Amino acid sequence: MGNSSSMLTQYDIEEVQEYCQNLFSQQEIVSLYQRFCQLDRNAKGFISADEFLSVPEFAMNPLSQRLLKMVDGLNFKDFVAFLSAFSAKASVQQKVKLIFKFYDSDGNGKVSFNDMLEVLRDLSGSFISNVQREQVLTQLLKEAGYSKDSYLTLDDFNKIFGISELKMEVEVPVD
Amino acid sequence: MSSGKGGELIPSSSELDLDRPNIEDYLPSGSSIQEPLGKLRLCDLLDISPTLTEAAGAIVDDSFTRCFKSNPPEPWNWNVYLFPLWCCGVVIRYLILFPVRVIVLTVGWIIFLSCFIPVHLLLKGHDKLQKNMERALVELICSFFVASWTGVINYHGPRPSMRPKQVFVANHTSMIDFIILEQMSSFAVIMQKHPGWVGLLQSTILESVGCIWFNRTEAKDRETVTKKLREHSQGVDNNPLLIFPEGTCVNNQYSVMFKKGAFELGCTICPIAIKYNKIFVDAFWNSRKQSFTMHLLQLMTSWAVVCDVWYLEPQNLRPDETPIEFAERVRDIISVRAGLKKVPWDGYLKYSRPSPKHRERKQQSFAESVLRRLEEN
């Protein structure tokens, strides 16, 4: 996949499709490539944090800073792999896995109380006090059978989300 | 598009100023967090999927970036007989048309400068005569410019008349909008001061038609500019003001929000809609991609610039309307006429980040829903 070319060959498309476990159709991958090239202004082969933030809808999102850590500097293949969790064909487990990865910012396979607190802080800002956030989180953890010092693994997350419906789909516009 | 098979834009307000219209009032709205009833559980608190989906949706496609995407005309299908034809076209355009156009433009400049400089220097005392002559000369050089791109412009509607307390607004696609309109009748513009040769032109020739300069980067600038606008519009002898309320060039398929400055001057607003036909060239000046010089060269090496200009019915502020509602109403009129899709974004987001207010609003709505459900426990 040439960094400077804006043309994807059929081989490239198939390679990317395999990499994202066929969660996107070939047309969608072509569309995503056009979008990737549009965001990657100087054809470096990845999208920088600044370029992501130039999309106002993204910059306004409360989770954008944390999300940037996951998407900053991704090449096209990884970009598609990241977005594949939002495909309509993705399973609930794949979606939960992405959510887990989002919480587990240091990538050690464990989500700590602090990780969850940080995300909660991003989501609620100054509209809930720190004390209250901790209280709510501790209480709900207890009710679910965990303690404040527990580290949650991916299995725990699967258990927690197991019964709920996750609406996490994004439509890729295909010309 | 974020989270929706229906392809609706999930609303995000774009209020950079406190006094923007409340977009959530007239867009399909809804908080990003659905409110299921019942006890708050751990999975509800940890479920970031709505917000995450919005972010992913913005990464995949967003209405703001679409406004500034260049859409060049479709390339021809190459085959045996079309390709040589296209090559002939290139030869004609670059080797015949372009030099002719450069000559036409040079002749135009020579005529213009040889008349303008004497008029400017010698008629210092005779203000009215000097003004009229300078205006006529600017109209002349604009006509030469239009000729240099083989501009095919259809004007519809009554030609603007020189009346005081009248301001013209138009949608903005490129700096050539001004040239196209100035060709027909003399306007005074409010423009961003540019560097280079354009800036030189601005400070010498455009001063004569009474232009006002602003600087996007200066915060206090807005007050001084508003003052200047008001003074100009009240003056009897001044050219009518032409304002592009979008504040930036948009790709002629969308329109971004109109700034309310022009609509608070207490004048009649005469909307002008400009629509370019992309059949020969895409007239959108993508200032991120090319300089104005390159843009002009691109125009001069194309077959023609085709566009329609509609002078629409003058509008006044209604008694129960705020200036922002007025601005949006006029934007609606122009967008309908020129076939533009409206988006609720401020054009200046091209140069700056959205204010933290929007994020705070989302945070507030999330916080409120969590606290409310806690009380239900």
Side-chain angles (χ1 to χ4, degrees):
Chain A
M1 217 154 326
N3 282 349
S4 45
S5 71
S6 304
M7 291 297 293
L8 274 185
T9 68
Q10 185 62 26
Y11 286 124
D12 294 329
I13 298 177
E14 283 168 9
E15 194 189 326
V16 174
Q17 204 174 25
E18 222 187 282
Y19 193 70
C20 73
Q21 290 145 340
N22 277 313
L23 287 171
F24 283 121
S25 72
Q26 297 202 348
Q27 269 184 310
E28 289 174 323
I29 292 180
V30 172
S31 279
L32 284 173
Y33 190 65
Q34 282 172 350
R35 176 66 173 178
F36 186 86
C37 292
Q38 187 185 47
L39 290 175
D40 173 17
R41 299 236 189 100
N42 21 21
K44 318 178 276 308
F46 63 89
I47 306 175
S48 68
D50 213 45
E51 287 163 345
F52 275 113
L53 289 173
S54 73
V55 177
E57 228 173 289
F58 181 83
M60 292 196 301
N61 193 294
L63 299 176
S64 55
Q65 286 304 319
R66 203 177 175 97
L67 199 55
L68 273 179
K69 292 198 203 119
M70 282 177 85
V71 297
D72 185 13
L74 287 182
N75 65 16
F76 180 61
K77 251 181 23 189
D78 293 323
F79 177 75
V80 175
F82 169 78
L83 289 173
S84 62
F86 296 92
S87 148
K89 300 189 208 141
S91 67
V92 176
Q93 277 103 325
Q94 283 164 320
K95 296 186 200 280
V96 173
K97 189 159 173 211
L98 184 73
I99 295 182
F100 181 80
K101 259 181 72 183
F102 182 84
Y103 275 97
D104 178 23
S105 54
D106 53 8
N108 61 357
K110 297 186 285 216
V111 169
S112 68
F113 184 79
N114 258 331
D115 288 329
M116 292 186 274
L117 205 58
E118 273 173 17
V119 175
L120 215 52
R121 196 180 308 135
D122 284 339
L123 281 176
S124 52
S126 53
F127 297 95
I128 304 183
S129 69
N130 270 330
V131 171
Q132 201 168 17
R133 269 192 284 259
E134 274 193 51
Q135 268 177 359
V136 174
L137 190 55
T138 318
Q139 181 192 335
L140 291 181
L141 275 172
K142 220 170 71 172
E143 286 174 15
Y146 301 98
S147 81
K148 192 172 161 181
D149 305 311
S150 321
Y151 285 93
L152 297 175
T153 62
L154 181 56
D155 283 331
D156 294 317
F157 260 63
N158 274 318
K159 243 186 283 167
I160 295 169
F161 283 103
I163 35 170
S164 58
E165 245 187 55
L166 274 184
K167 283 210 197 75
M168 209 165 101
E169 269 165 36
V170 165
E171 192 183 326
V172 178
V174 172
D175 293 319
Chain B
M1 319 253 177
S2 31
S3 73
K5 289 250 163 105
E8 286 136 30
L9 291 166
I10 299 293
S12 315
S13 55
S14 67
E15 302 185 12
L16 266 198
D17 302 308
L18 275 168
D19 32 37
R20 280 261 180 270
N22 200 0
I23 310 221
E24 278 127 356
D25 285 341
Y26 63 83
L27 279 189
S29 179
S31 85
S32 57
I33 315 290
Q34 296 306 314
E35 293 195 31
L37 301 161
K39 198 165 174 254
L40 192 67
R41 300 160 296 166
L42 186 63
C43 60
D44 299 316
L45 202 65
L46 292 181
D47 184 5
I48 47 171
S49 61
T51 316
L52 213 57
T53 313
E54 269 186 23
I59 293 178
V60 166
D61 188 20
D62 76 293
S63 57
F64 183 75
T65 318
R66 266 188 267 146
C67 294
F68 305 102
K69 193 170 147 197
S70 299
N71 298 307
E74 290 290 321
W76 300 25
N77 274 323
W78 304 130
N79 57 27
V80 182
Y81 52 91
L82 281 183
F83 188 65
L85 209 62
W86 179 82
C87 285
C88 284
V90 170
V91 166
I92 298 178
R93 277 189 289 134
Y94 279 81
L95 298 181
I96 303 179
L97 278 184
F98 181 62
V100 168
R101 287 169 174 173
V102 170
I103 293 175
V104 165
L105 202 55
T106 317
V107 167
W109 273 109
I110 294 175
I111 298 178
F112 174 75
L113 287 171
S114 54
C115 296
F116 189 82
I117 294 177
V119 165
H120 195 69
L121 297 172
L122 300 176
L123 286 183
K124 273 276 155 65
H126 314 267
D127 259 359
K128 194 148 174 108
L129 182 61
Q130 178 189 24
K131 264 199 188 165
N132 286 336
M133 290 203 69
E134 286 180 349
R135 284 173 196 180
L137 283 173
V138 172
E139 279 183 42
L140 181 73
I141 188 65
C142 287
S143 305
F144 269 102
F145 262 111
V146 171
S148 75
W149 322 307
T150 313
V152 179
I153 307 172
N154 297 318
Y155 296 94
H156 311 265
R159 232 178 103 162
S161 45
M162 298 275 152
R163 270 184 285 185
K165 306 263 262 143
Q166 211 177 226
V167 171
F168 288 81
V169 304
N171 59 309
H172 201 23
T173 305
S174 162
M175 290 237 279
I176 68 176
D177 292 339
F178 165 67
I179 297 178
I180 286 174
L181 293 178
E182 188 81 12
Q183 186 197 212
M184 256 305 184
S185 37
S186 206
F187 290 111
V189 227
I190 159 171
M191 270 185 160
Q192 163 86 30
K193 201 71 183 282
H194 284 269
W197 64 271
V198 181
L200 183 63
L201 272 184
Q202 289 179 319
S203 36
T204 47
I205 296 162
L206 293 180
E207 284 281 354
S208 65
V209 280
C211 291
I212 297 173
W213 313 115
F214 70 84
N215 201 334
R216 259 181 218 127
T217 51
E218 272 175 46
K220 275 258 162 179
D221 201 51
R222 204 178 343 141
E223 289 158 29
T224 31
V225 169
T226 316
K227 207 172 69 158
K228 286 192 210 164
L229 283 179
R230 204 178 290 266
E231 281 167 10
H232 187 109
S233 59
Q234 315 282 2
V236 177
D237 234 0
N238 291 330
N239 276 344
L241 266 174
L242 173 62
I243 298 181
F244 297 106
E246 286 172 311
T248 187
C249 292
V250 185
N251 72 357
N252 211 225
Q253 290 188 307
Y254 296 89
S255 68
V256 295
M257 295 195 59
F258 276 13
K259 302 200 178 316
K260 64 179 165 80
F263 300 87
E264 310 182 290
L265 299 171
C267 303
T268 310
I269 299 287
C270 307
I272 303 178
I274 308 178
K275 180 75 173 182
Y276 290 90
N277 189 332
K278 277 204 291 283
I279 185 169
F280 292 119
V281 73
D282 181 17
F284 168 51
W285 176 36
N286 194 340
S287 51
R288 284 182 195 164
K289 271 204 187 155
Q290 44 180 202
S291 67
F292 190 58
T293 319
M294 285 311 298
H295 174 62
L296 269 191
L297 285 178
Q298 187 194 348
L299 292 180
M300 286 175 81
T301 51
S302 317
W303 289 109
V305 171
V306 183
C307 78
D308 284 286
V309 174
W310 289 274
Y311 296 106
L312 302 169
E313 192 184 324
Q315 305 288 325
N316 281 301
L317 184 68
R318 292 192 186 139
D320 54 345
E321 238 180 3
T322 64
I324 296 170
E325 289 168 353
F326 185 29
E328 282 303 295
R329 183 165 61 89
V330 171
R331 180 176 150 206
D332 200 40
I333 295 172
I334 293 181
S335 303
V336 165
R337 180 68 269 187
L340 306 172
K341 297 192 204 105
K342 295 178 2 171
V343 295
W345 297 108
D346 182 328
Y348 278 9
L349 286 171
K350 237 176 159 185
Y351 311 100
S352 62
R353 300 268 174 263
S355 101
K357 254 196 307 149
H358 310 289
R359 181 179 309 184
E360 283 167 16
R361 200 170 293 131
K362 293 184 188 231
Q363 289 173 330
Q364 187 175 17
S365 117
F366 174 80
E368 280 172 6
S369 95
V370 165
L371 292 175
R372 203 175 313 144
R373 289 184 68 189
L374 265 186
E375 280 169 30
E376 284 175 22
N377 277 4

